[in-house]
Amino acid sequence: MTVLAHGIGGATDLPIPLSYALVGAAWALTFSFAVLVLAWREPRLDPRSPGIALPSVVGAILDSRAVRVVISGASVAVTLVVVAIGVFGSSDPARNPVPGVVYIYLWVGVMVASLVAGPVWKILSPVRAVHRALCLMRRRPPAQGLMRYPGSWGQWPAVLGLFSFVWMELAYPEPGSVAAVTTWLVAYLVVNTAGLIMCGTVWAERADPLEVYSSLLGRLSPLGRRDTGELVLRSPLNNLAGTPVRVAAVAVAATLLGSTAFDSFSTFPSWRGLLADAGGGGYEFLPTVLKTVGLLGFIVVVGGLFCTAARATGGLSEAERKLLPARLAYSLSPIVAGYLVAHYLTFLVEKGQATVLLFADPFGRGWNLAGLADRDVAYLLSTHPAVLGTVKVLAVVIGHILGVAAAHDRCLRLLPRAHRVTGQLALMLTMVGFTFTGLYLLFES
């Protein structure tokens, strides 16, 4: 089945069976309250847990200057090639791999890799690589910029960057346009290179949308580091507990969750019919306006519900309750990860193959590099709907369980003992609601 989805045509995830959704939702609800009331009564998560040390040679290789230089050079070279293909290649997205590279490998592949190996964009980022080279030439440490990064900005620049991407993907009239995708990529490179020059590496950590997203999910990787820098294997929840509290952290998670939910909602026939009716009579701009409002609405509702639920507790002053959403925002990371896997799984595996095949002739010169033009996409998941449905439900439910556990542990540390259960009921019900809604959207889309 092929439709225009995620900005480029490709195989889409099949809707999951209703029975799978109901069973998954029941498990999520049961586990949430079992953890809340019975099984987890004292804080357990420790970001400084010693973990299991990996062989020192692994860390020595990964951290070696030579390896980092090679990776940086390759990252910059690949970026230049992709931009060149976007500028000089075919304008037809069915023949140009750039939309696939950005939508699939950059937006999904890097984030899935971060779940496995940690915040990989810190190493792969061509922006950081260029900045390091500039600092080396000027003999200035990368952390030092021309000005101090304003603390009040928090992660708001990253929120704007993330929203610009999801708006292009879900609201822009031509999300698959090679010119539009290339323009976004070049703008990302220019803005974040300038940000690094002005503010140093703190810009990448707080304002670069791709690095913020990668770091958010990288906290769920089993790989961690001790204070000495030694690589260890550690419980993902322990790594997650070390997530720093940032201004606009809730907005980051809400943008990612809300946009994914809106993406599923946008496949509903009633919504598509509304857009089709609105676009007639000389009002071609109205569908874009409606999609923009819908996208913002989903993001605001997700963020608003979470903030309201996080603050719905007694035993704390109003000022202390205002701080709770930011302190608990990290617990949304597993839910973001679950929806990432469930929503984009076949997109990554199957359309990712199709993108690779387009590199056979990226400039429309009649080439057949590496014989790619002679190969076909293997639809590994679409032809096994039962397996796909199981994986999608498991991803959402496991993400929910980890999110509930992380929020519960943090609440045990933040709330007065007398309010440890009642003070987090609203938050737990909200997170269960996110799971029910997510499964419903996956079932219906």
Side-chain angles (χ1 to χ4, degrees), residues 218-232:
R219 289 283 179 176
L220 288 165
S221 166
L223 287 176
R225 288 185 184 270
R226 294 174 180 168
D227 292 339
T228 60
E230 184 180 9
L231 276 174
V232 298

Side-chain angles (χ1 to χ4, degrees), residues 11-27:
T12 61
D13 282 340
L14 302 177
I16 62 176
L18 177 60
S19 58
Y20 284 42
L22 293 176
V23 170
W27 270 107

Side-chain angles (χ1 to χ4, degrees), residues 15-31 389-390 392-394 396-397 400 432 435-444:
I16 62 176
L18 177 60
S19 58
Y20 284 42
L22 293 176
V23 170
W27 270 107
L29 180 63
T30 302
F31 182 87
T390 301
K392 291 170 69 172
V393 170
L394 284 175
V396 173
V397 172
H400 169 87
V432 169
T435 300
F436 271 70
T437 303
L439 289 172
Y440 169 76
L441 291 173
L442 287 171
F443 166 68
E444 291 290 344

Side-chain angles (χ1 to χ4, degrees), residues 13 19 59 113 123 127 131 152 159 184 194 197 207 211 249 256 270 285 320 330 346 349 356 390-391 394 431 439 443:
D13 282 340
S19 58
I123 300 173
V127 173
H131 179 245
S152 60
V159 173
W184 185 92
I197 293 172
E211 182 161 328
L256 296 170
S270 56
F285 64 92
E320 290 173 321
Y330 82 110
T346 52
V349 174
V356 172
T390 301
V391 171
L394 284 175
M431 296 177 82
L439 289 172
F443 166 68

Side-chain angles (χ1 to χ4, degrees), residues 265-278 290 440:
F265 171 78
S266 63
T267 64
F268 282 30
S270 56
W271 175 252
R272 289 183 176 273
L274 175 64
L275 295 178
D277 293 340
L290 288 175
Y440 169 76

Side-chain angles (χ1 to χ4, degrees), residues 249-269:
V250 174
V252 169
T255 299
L256 296 170
L257 276 179
S259 61
T260 303
F262 178 73
D263 194 1
S264 292
F265 171 78
S266 63
T267 64
F268 282 30

Side-chain angles (χ1 to χ4, degrees), residues 60 62 85 95 115 132 137 154 169 204 207 292 336-337 350 416 422:
L62 293 178
I85 294 173
R95 298 186 177 187
L115 285 173
R132 282 194 297 269
M137 289 188 292
E169 179 189 17
T292 302
V336 171
E350 297 177 355
T422 58

